[in-house]
Amino acid sequence: MNKDMSRSHQCFFIALTLFAACFFALSGFAVYRISAGDVVETNILALLPQGKESDLVHYADQKISNRFERRIVLFVGDVSAEKASAAAKKIQTDIDNTKLFSAFKAENQSDQMRSLTDFYDGHRASFLTAQQKKWLEQGDAKAIRAAALSQLYGVSMPLVSAGIQHDPFSFLNTYVAKAMDQTIGDFTVVNDIPIVLSDGVYYAVLSIDLAGNPFALSYQNEVVDALDQIQNAATAKNSELSFIRSGLIFHARNGAETAKSEMSMMGTLSLTGVFLLLLLVFKSLRPFIVISLSIACAGFVGFAACLLFFAKVHLLTLVFGTSLLGISIDYALHFWAERYKQEPWNARDAVRSIFPSISFGLLTSIIGFLGLCFTPIISLQQMAIFSIAGLIFVYGCVVFIYPVLFASVPRTPAAWIYDGAQKYLHWWNKRRERNILRIMFALIFILVCALPFLEGKDDIRVMQSLSPQLIANDMNAAKILGSPISTQMFIVRGADNEAMLQTMEDLSQRLDDLTQTGGIDGYMALSNFVQSQHTQTANISLLHDFVKNHEAAVKSLFSEMMLDENAYARYLAFLSAAQTQHYTLPQFLDAANRDELWMLYDENYHGQTLGFVTLKHAVNIDALARIANEMPQVEFIDKVASLSSLLDRYRYWAGILAIVAYVVIFMVLALRYGLMLGAAILVPSIAASFLTLVIVALLGGSYSLFHVLALFLLMGVGVDYGLFLVESARDKNATHITRAMTAIILSALTTLLSFGLLTTSSTSALHDFGMTVLIGITITFILSPIVLMGIKKEERV
């Protein structure tokens, strides 16, 4: 006997040593990773699944989005254009001195425009607008004459210095004016600073690129603090200055601050609620202190476990982790519920008594959370790993640490919670099985009737609650700059630059038609600024043929313009020579030297040339999709729609995974308890899952992916309740069942305290998760004694 006890003690201390070694190893690893660099992710898009779109679509999306992620647009406003420009000049210098931004160049806008217009001037015969082509094709000499004379005697200053000898119709000036409107809109340039007038205020526009990661917490704070100081210094010198700033980094920082605030609030309220509950029930601070420390360590272990598998842990995983309290405390509560025994207290006996139930509970919870690991959403994978590691740690604390710390517990817990559990079980015992079956059939009937009307819907746009002030800033910025860029765009492929440009020109014609009908407000494409060599040749030939075939009308126009008699022959010879002189797309981009144009081009993607067409305020999405379907070398990207559709698909597969998890858990339970009792253990959580979805859909009109994913958590907790009741009832001792029910009541209360707080989150994903758990746990608790009916049936069998 003594040998057995000695061997048991040795095994216990070996297990305790291994447990402590694992904890310190993980903690050391976490400390190393934290000291090595930023390990917290704040990008809300990191929550999203990676789509199964082609590599091309993913590449294009990354190219465009990465560009916008690191861009800040700062507007410096004043009633005087000169004062706005002067303030912007000073701010440029201050921004450059911070070293927080990419090499900030005070680019000379005049030089840029001059370089672009010089390029156009050197290839003046190649550029024609759609209207000019129409006049030439129809031989409309009257329209051409009117346009030429209007340009010659008009009040507007020509943009291109091409001599009248080389551009007698002034076609190039019209084309360049349209191209400039695409790149600089209604801007004027004052002291090399672009200025735009909006609502009586002149705004100097500064476009700034970030040097660091806009989702790094420390970098966000440095950038925002630096801009605040610069703006305050500028305002101190000129109180009439106004500022508008727009950029992803401001939304990222707001989301991070909101998540940290929610994490702090939820953790504080959860701990306060649990503190009061444990103090009232166990009349001692020691249970709360030890449980809090073990759960805090469990949170750190969960964080460290995530760092084993991921480069960064999402901030929302940590927010979710604060709610781990509601589950991990269950094991400790069952340990403490054993204190209601009448015989003298023995901590090791208490652990032995609850060991089967908490062990099977841990197993089923792990099975439930493993379902989340198979979802493609990284944050949910992290939440699953975080929870599994945390639960295992708390389980180890209860099994190995609690018997040592709580070898003596002098105080007797409060009787009111025990009496409440006893009365609740008595109320259930008074219900006849026939009545219970009627209730179950009624629930089944409700579910069968309601399920066809449940609508699942996921919208990526509601995943994060954005700051109204930041949204207002973005709207003001869009108003100043013109129509905002849409999330939709086209990708145009080609074997080379020429093939890509020809396809883009065809696409542009269709988009021009759609712009006329109001389907889009406009678009940005390389074909608006540059022509394919095929089009260059066609344009020059069109001009040449018109001049040759309408000699009399052209000579008459030249005479009106007071050109000498040889002008006609010189212009015809110029057009003949121009037919062999073509420019290339890279030559144009080098001359233009504008980032927004380079962004629309990729020279070598797996041997193909790519062009990107961004849209402004896309309205008719169906028409845009049809255009892409009709053009084999064109793909249409609608990021919002594709991500929302992706979430819809994963909501369906999450439901399938939940069913698979239930089947696996049932097989595990059936091996230990038999088919009837194994099924009875699952009934409350399965019924609660369906009822919760019905209630959620009725309250919100639909249910989302995150409602379904919360069912995995509901599954683990619900099965735990059944297991604890079954294990406590195996020795047919009513007091054991009452103790188990006492722990379940305390468990339900702490779970509702922690996960219920998620419903206050401004992040839709967390709110949906919390709402599902709040409703589901309540229903599961109410139905949990059904498992006792399954035990009675087994006894009769």
Side-chain angles (χ1 to χ4, degrees), residues 743-764:
I744 289 172
I745 292 173
L746 292 171
S747 169
L749 289 173
T750 54
T751 302
L752 294 176
L753 276 172
S754 53
F755 279 93
L757 289 171
L758 290 179
T759 60
T760 64
S761 174
S762 60
T763 303
S764 177

Side-chain angles (χ1 to χ4, degrees), residues 44 47 262 316 462-465 761-768:
I44 192 67
L47 282 172
E262 290 179 352
L316 290 182
V462 301
M463 281 193 65
Q464 185 180 26
S465 178
S761 174
S762 60
T763 303
S764 177
L766 291 177
H767 171 82
D768 291 350

Side-chain angles (χ1 to χ4, degrees), residues 149-158:
L149 294 177
S150 175
Q151 286 281 336
L152 180 63
Y153 300 112
V155 295
S156 61
M157 183 179 295

